[in-house]
Amino acid sequence: MIKSKLFELLNSLTKEELEAFSDFIKSPYYNKNTELIRFATILNTYLNEEDPHSKQEKLTKEKIFKILLPKKKYQDGEMRKMMTGLTQLVEQFMIAEQLKSNRFLEKRILRKSFSERDLYKCYLKEIKHFEKNKYLAPIQDINPLLESFFIYSNLYFHSKTNRLEPTNDYLSNAMEDLDEFYIQMKLINSIELINRQKLFPNQKKITLSSIVETYVEKKPKNEILKLCISVSQLISKKFSVSEFEEVETLFSRHIHQLTKREQLIILINLINVLTREINQGKLNLVKKNLELYKKAIKIDLQLPNKKITHETFTNVVVYGCHEKEFKWVKNFISDYALYLEEDVNADATRFSKSYLYFSKKEYQKTVDLLWNYNFDKLLFDIRSKSILTRTLLEYFFQKRDIYQLLLNHTNSMERYIRRKKIIGKKKQEAYLNFISVVKKIGKFQYEGKNNKTWIERTKKQILNDDNIIAKIWILDRLDEL
């Protein structure tokens, strides 16, 4: 039973939603079957357990049937009928919840109802309300251009609309909105594709069609189109602080005209632009990137699945620690870990805590968290080993007698990296370059040497080469030699 669609749907509901569903199913408007109410109540007790999965595994259709109908012999057909009925009620509840959180969708259905019921005045009033408020929502759920196309198109073909009226421009308005929506979507999605070309140069090159270019030329005052083109140029061109700030200002000014997904596409690509510059040694941009990440997280958590990727989570921790916002980072880890996917939650949280301890120079706590801990995910296993390596080097600066431990660990990590072919050649080289530099720093310190020529040459190589991890930290260590 635990593998049924019913359980999959119920397990997706939050505690608050389960309570709301309990009220929903008792409403006679939606349900008059008292057995389904009892069925839902029984399941709810299992779903609210502290360890629901272990309890649910023992739950069978036969067991539920006996609780519901103790005097009746088990009938699989009847049980399946009840499960189907309850599943349909959960789906209706999900639709109702979605409508509550989606203003545009709710109003679209209302306009359709007014139109079909021949409530033409109410229908027109709702359209005027849309025209007045379409850009006022803080974060749009549906692109207002596409919504506007459907509204004007439906209005033009409504039976009470005079299509022969010379001033009737509903259909031309609809077509203009559809054109702009098409161009806007082409440009916004091209931003992501251009970024992918940076990551994967061998992929097919994306070029905008002549239709898009011609349309943009005819709309020089359209700032949304200008924003999309400016973001694309930021990704492709040499970085300029002034140009970046112009784009950021433009984005902030028109954010309310974009859907959540569109906002996130632009924000993530602005973050990627700054990340590339930070990796080139421009550490003054870290604070700005952290601010953008904070904005992206707020949008992420307003999307339907309310999840944060482990990449975003750990990058925020790294940048927050660089800015020495340790208290904020600590609260971020404890407050936002629940939004990570379950399969990476433990690894991402432990790694993030260890990075926080390391950044605060609490090296013993870092070692305690990482030493002999086996991460489930390869990515975190490798990243944690690099943190441990850095911790041991910092320890070594304080206690020279652990040099052999540092050397053994770096040799062990090097063998580990060379064995893990699945991480990709470029990533493998980045870690091996890191290990090589750490070894040389440790050797110079242990032998009491100060090879200024090697230090300057290495700093220059690191600044000009993206293919090394922990670039910022290594440059700091080299400055201390």
Side-chain angles (χ1 to χ4, degrees), residues 231-248:
V231 175
S232 298
Q233 289 173 343
L234 270 181
I235 298 168
S236 307
K237 290 166 56 180
K238 187 176 179 181
F239 182 76
S240 162
V241 174
S242 60
E243 287 178 6
F244 185 91
E245 289 175 347
E246 283 177 19
V247 173
E248 191 183 11

Side-chain angles (χ1 to χ4, degrees), residues 6-22:
L6 174 60
F7 256 84
E8 186 179 359
L9 297 181
L10 287 170
N11 274 318
S12 73
L13 302 181
T14 64
K15 189 175 181 180
E16 292 76 18
E17 286 172 333
L18 283 170
E19 290 175 3
F21 177 64
S22 181

Side-chain angles (χ1 to χ4, degrees), residues 89-104:
L89 283 169
V90 178
E91 290 172 344
Q92 287 175 25
F93 170 75
M94 287 179 165
I95 292 168
E97 287 293 293
Q98 191 69 29
L99 279 173
K100 274 168 57 180
S101 64
N102 194 319
R103 183 177 65 85
F104 272 118

Side-chain angles (χ1 to χ4, degrees), residues 121-238:
K121 287 183 180 179
C122 294
Y123 179 55
L124 291 178
K125 189 175 179 180
E126 278 300 318
I127 290 173
K128 286 180 180 178
H129 183 269
F130 167 81
E131 290 170 341
K132 184 179 177 181
N133 298 287
K134 65 180 177 180
Y135 291 129
L136 295 183
I139 298 181
Q140 303 289 2
D141 297 305
I142 299 170
N143 190 293
L145 288 169
L146 184 60
E147 191 71 2
S148 189
F149 161 73
F150 285 120
I151 285 173
Y152 290 126
S153 179
N154 291 334
L155 178 57
Y156 178 82
F157 289 106
H158 193 281
S159 60
K160 287 196 173 182
T161 300
N162 183 0
R163 293 196 286 275
L164 298 178
E165 170 64 46
T167 58
N168 181 340
D169 55 2
Y170 297 144
L171 196 58
S172 60
N173 287 343
M175 294 302 289
E176 283 180 14
D177 288 332
L178 184 61
D179 285 344
E180 189 169 336
F181 171 75
Y182 167 76
I183 299 299
Q184 187 175 306
M185 288 302 98
K186 287 282 287 184
L187 289 171
I188 284 175
N189 285 284
S190 72
I191 291 170
E192 183 63 22
L193 289 171
I194 289 168
N195 183 57
R196 283 183 61 82
Q197 284 178 352
K198 282 275 185 182
L199 297 171
F200 310 107
N202 294 329
Q203 284 200 349
K204 183 180 178 182
K205 191 173 181 180
I206 302 300
T207 55
L208 293 176
S209 68
S210 57
I211 298 172
V212 175
E213 292 173 345
T214 304
Y215 185 89
V216 172
E217 286 173 6
K218 289 180 179 179
K219 301 280 184 176
K221 293 183 179 180
N222 188 314
E223 296 211 317
I224 294 293
L225 302 184
K226 181 182 175 183
L227 170 64
C228 297
I229 291 170
S230 298
V231 175
S232 298
Q233 289 173 343
L234 270 181
I235 298 168
S236 307
K237 290 166 56 180
K238 187 176 179 181

Side-chain angles (χ1 to χ4, degrees), residues 32-87:
K32 294 182 174 70
N33 188 331
T34 55
E35 284 184 358
L36 289 182
I37 296 173
R38 289 179 60 217
F39 187 13
T41 304
I42 293 165
L43 293 182
N44 207 23
T45 59
Y46 285 90
L47 292 162
N48 281 319
E49 291 284 347
E50 286 187 11
D51 186 13
H53 293 293
S54 62
K55 295 280 185 181
Q56 290 171 24
E57 283 173 1
K58 298 173 185 176
L59 200 60
T60 62
K61 289 188 288 186
E62 291 80 4
K63 188 175 181 179
I64 289 291
F65 193 89
K66 191 171 184 180
I67 297 171
L68 278 170
L69 304 165
K71 295 181 180 180
K72 205 169 184 181
K73 187 178 178 181
Y74 176 74
Q75 294 180 22
D76 192 63
E78 191 171 346
M79 187 64 200
R80 287 179 180 276
K81 187 178 179 180
M82 283 194 292
M83 288 177 68
T84 299
L86 192 55
T87 298

